[in-house]
Amino acid sequence: MKKFAVKGFITLVAVIAFAILGVTAGHTTAHADSSDDASFSTVLSTAKSKLGKPYAWGATGPSSFDCSGFTSYVYKKATGITIPRTAQAQYNAYKHVKGSAVKKGDLIFFGGSTSSISHVGLYIGKGKMIDAQNRGVITESIYASWWHKVGYAHVTDLSD
C-alpha cells in the first residue's frame, strides 16, 4: 500500500510540474512573455543586424540560422517572446491572419499546405520579408516564384 501511495504522489507531482511548465501531450506551448513595449522597429533592427549571416540547417544563431531559428532568435532578442522552434510549430501556435490584414512583424509561411510548412520569414511590409535560406539571411519579396505562400500568423501586437 505504501508503494502505491508513493507512486501516486510522484505521478501527481509530475502532472503538476508539466502543467506549470506548459507542457501538454509532449508539446510545449508558445510563450508571450514579452514586455508591453515591444516595437516593430526593435524587431526590424534585430533582424537587419543578422543580414548576410550564413544558412545552416538547425542553426538558431547568432552567427548562422535556419529559417525558424532566425524568426525564433529575432523574437526572443527583440521582444523577449519565446516562439516555437520549427516553422510548422510556429504556424500552428499563432492566430492566422489574411494577407489583407498582415502587419509588419507577422510571420509568413511557405510550403505545400498548412500541414506541410517548410519555410518561415519575418514580414517587414511592402511585400518584403527577411528570412534565412540557402543564400543566408536576406531581404526578399514574398512573391518570389520559388515560394508557395501558405499563410500568415500574428505573434504579438507591436508598436510602430
Side-chain angles (χ1 to χ4, degrees):
M1 181 69 172
K2 186 177 180 182
K3 236 181 182 178
F4 179 75
V6 170
K7 285 183 180 179
F9 177 75
I10 291 171
T11 301
L12 178 63
V13 169
V15 168
I16 292 170
F18 280 112
I20 291 170
L21 294 173
V23 177
T24 310
H27 301 291
T28 57
T29 57
H31 284 281
D33 55 0
S34 70
S35 61
D36 290 334
D37 60 355
S39 71
F40 175 68
S41 62
T42 303
V43 169
L44 183 61
S45 66
T46 302
K48 282 184 170 182
S49 75
K50 298 304 174 185
L51 287 170
K53 295 293 182 187
Y55 176 88
W57 186 83
T60 58
S63 57
S64 62
F65 298 92
D66 71 5
C67 64
S68 56
F70 174 72
T71 53
S72 297
Y73 177 90
V74 169
Y75 259 94
K76 183 66 178 172
K77 287 292 183 185
T79 70
I81 296 173
T82 301
I83 65 175
R85 173 60 187 93
T86 68
Q88 185 71 57
Q90 290 174 10
Y91 180 82
N92 294 342
Y94 297 103
K95 179 183 174 188
H96 302 146
V97 295
K98 294 180 180 180
S100 59
V102 69
K103 296 180 179 179
K104 293 176 183 176
D106 285 349
L107 301 177
I108 180 168
F109 298 91
F110 305 89
S113 70
T114 58
S115 61
S116 64
I117 302 295
S118 58
H119 189 69
V120 61
L122 178 70
Y123 185 71
I124 60 170
K126 298 184 180 177
K128 301 265 186 205
M129 68 175 170
I130 298 178
D131 66 326
Q133 47 140 300
N134 60 350
R135 295 180 286 157
V137 178
I138 65 168
T139 300
E140 70 175 325
S141 171
I142 64 172
Y143 305 109
S145 61
W146 50 86
W147 296 124
H148 177 257
K149 188 170 24 110
V150 174
Y152 303 90
H154 185 71
V155 176
T156 191
D157 291 331
L158 299 169
S159 61
D160 286 333

